[in-house]
Amino acid sequence: MSDYDFITYEQLDGGRVVRILLDRPDTRNAQNRGLLVELDDGFLRAERDDDVRVVILGGNGPMFSSGHDMGSSVAREEFASHPTRFIHGGSRAGAERMMLQEWHYYFQNTLRWRNLRKITIAQVHGPVFSAGLMLAWCCDLIVAADDTTFADVVGTRLGMAGVEYFAHPWEFGPRKTKELMLTGDSLDADEAHRLGMVSKVFPRDELFDRTVEFAERIAVVPTMAAMLVKESVNQTMDSMGFTNALQSCFSIHQLNHAHWASMSNGKRQVGFAEFDEGIQDWRTAPPVQAAQKSAVGGAAQG
């Protein structure tokens, strides 16, 4: 099933469907460098295979992805030794290193997956936090378990204006994006379905099987028609400014990093409570609140 350390790669439906699963359940599928490099390899492997028509991206364990790895032992070791730390700007200094590394491994990776020459389905469950949204949003379709919630907490917990692939206004809508970013509140699967962000909502214990059934239904569509449907929609979004807007927001993201590096005399690239009392320490932050129409504080979620 897998030639990888951090993901699994499985062929289904006679090879027409590939299922890639993030496989770091002990870290809630936090995205360390090794996982991202392997995920890119997995996507490109499926893209090369002419038998593959649909790629499913999911996760093992209690949640799809908790976002960027903020400091596990694996991530700390990779920072010193992973081969990609010394290319794509990794040998540069200051804001240049951060910008080039994030451009390659967060921003360009995600754009490349968005434009993959296969139909992709994100299969999500549990809390989908921050950079976990990037992995879901780059897919053509999203199916969610009925226990799924979506939130970007980097504004309230790290003092950052979103993640590197800032698709939020396109997925949530402009005002909802401002609300969710300024509060760190979450949407549930039903609300995400109402917004059109999620295509299907399945019971948690049926998610894996029903996602495969959904993928198999799509896999029978002629490959040329499927590719041109995807290309037509993506080009329409690009004509509306999607990719240019994301590039602009990536530059703003780097300004945000530079701000915190300046505030901390180069010690930190993101905000911490010691620099600003309005920031919640992400390690001890209270549960995410559900965004509710009539509640100022929402309802706490574990």
Side-chain angles (χ1 to χ4, degrees):
M1 286 181 58
S2 179
D3 303 317
Y4 303 102
D5 294 322
F6 303 115
I7 67 171
T8 65
Y9 186 100
E10 180 183 11
Q11 293 178 298
L12 305 167
D13 191 31
R16 294 196 304 179
V17 175
V18 161
R19 180 164 57 195
I20 299 173
L21 297 177
L22 310 180
D23 195 30
R24 297 188 73 204
D26 55 324
T27 65
R28 307 283 197 277
N29 292 322
Q31 300 165 34
N32 60 304
R33 179 60 59 84
L35 181 146
L36 292 172
V37 169
E38 289 186 358
L39 182 56
D40 188 48
D41 185 84
F43 270 130
L44 297 181
R45 175 178 168 183
E47 188 175 50
R48 288 191 300 268
D49 187 342
D50 284 349
D51 290 333
V52 177
R53 296 184 172 208
V54 179
V55 182
I56 298 169
L57 174 63
N60 285 321
M63 61 191 295
F64 172 68
S65 177
S66 58
H68 292 320
D69 190 321
M70 296 294 291
S72 72
S73 59
V74 170
R76 292 195 301 270
E77 182 178 343
E78 285 178 336
F79 190 79
S81 63
H82 197 278
T84 65
R85 291 297 186 184
F86 309 102
I87 60 174
H88 293 318
S91 63
R92 305 286 171 80
E96 182 183 12
R97 178 172 65 181
M98 171 70 77
M99 183 172 185
L100 288 172
Q101 287 271 291
E102 290 200 343
W103 189 86
H104 283 283
Y105 295 103
Y106 297 154
F107 183 59
Q108 283 298 305
N109 257 2
T110 313
L111 272 181
R112 181 165 54 254
W113 302 335
R114 179 241 184 187
N115 292 314
L116 203 77
R117 301 292 83 184
K118 308 286 180 173
I119 302 302
T120 54
I121 302 174
Q123 170 194 288
V124 301
H125 66 284
V128 180
F129 284 151
S130 303
L133 295 170
M134 294 167 51
L135 298 188
W137 285 342
C138 72
C139 293
D140 299 307
L141 302 166
I142 301 173
V143 300
D146 52 12
D147 67 345
T148 309
T149 56
F150 303 89
D152 191 345
V153 297
V154 298
T156 55
R157 298 185 181 183
L158 295 176
M160 295 293 296
V163 289
E164 295 80 5
Y165 183 89
F166 195 80
H168 306 57
W170 304 82
E171 300 285 354
F172 294 143
R175 287 190 176 83
K176 200 64 178 177
T177 293
K178 292 175 185 177
E179 175 195 347
L180 298 179
M181 291 299 306
L182 292 169
T183 62
D185 288 351
S186 67
L187 297 181
D188 63 21
D190 288 337
E191 178 68 2
H193 181 267
R194 189 190 69 78
L195 290 174
M197 189 180 93
V198 165
S199 296
K200 304 290 182 183
V201 179
F202 299 136
R204 175 70 181 88
D205 60 356
E206 300 176 13
L207 177 66
F208 275 59
D209 291 341
R210 295 187 66 178
T211 301
V212 172
E213 291 173 4
F214 188 45
E216 289 173 343
R217 179 182 175 192
I218 293 168
V220 302
V221 175
T223 53
M224 186 62 169
M227 182 177 69
L228 293 182
V229 166
K230 174 170 182 163
E231 189 68 7
S232 296
V233 175
N234 283 7
Q235 286 198 21
T236 298
M237 292 181 67
D238 284 343
S239 295
M240 296 165 65
F242 178 81
T243 298
N244 284 341
L246 263 63
Q247 180 66 65
S248 297
C249 291
F250 176 79
S251 298
I252 293 172
H253 185 88
Q254 298 309 310
L255 173 62
N256 211 162
H257 279 313
H259 168 74
W260 291 117
S262 175
M263 292 289 290
S264 64
N265 294 318
K267 295 179 181 178
R268 304 281 190 179
Q269 303 290 340
V270 296
F272 276 72
E274 63 192 275
F275 308 139
D276 191 308
E277 63 182 13
I279 294 175
Q280 303 168 349
D281 188 325
W282 62 271
R283 294 160 297 191
T284 59
V288 171
Q289 307 286 310
Q292 295 185 352
K293 181 170 66 175
S294 61
V296 174
Q301 298 177 351

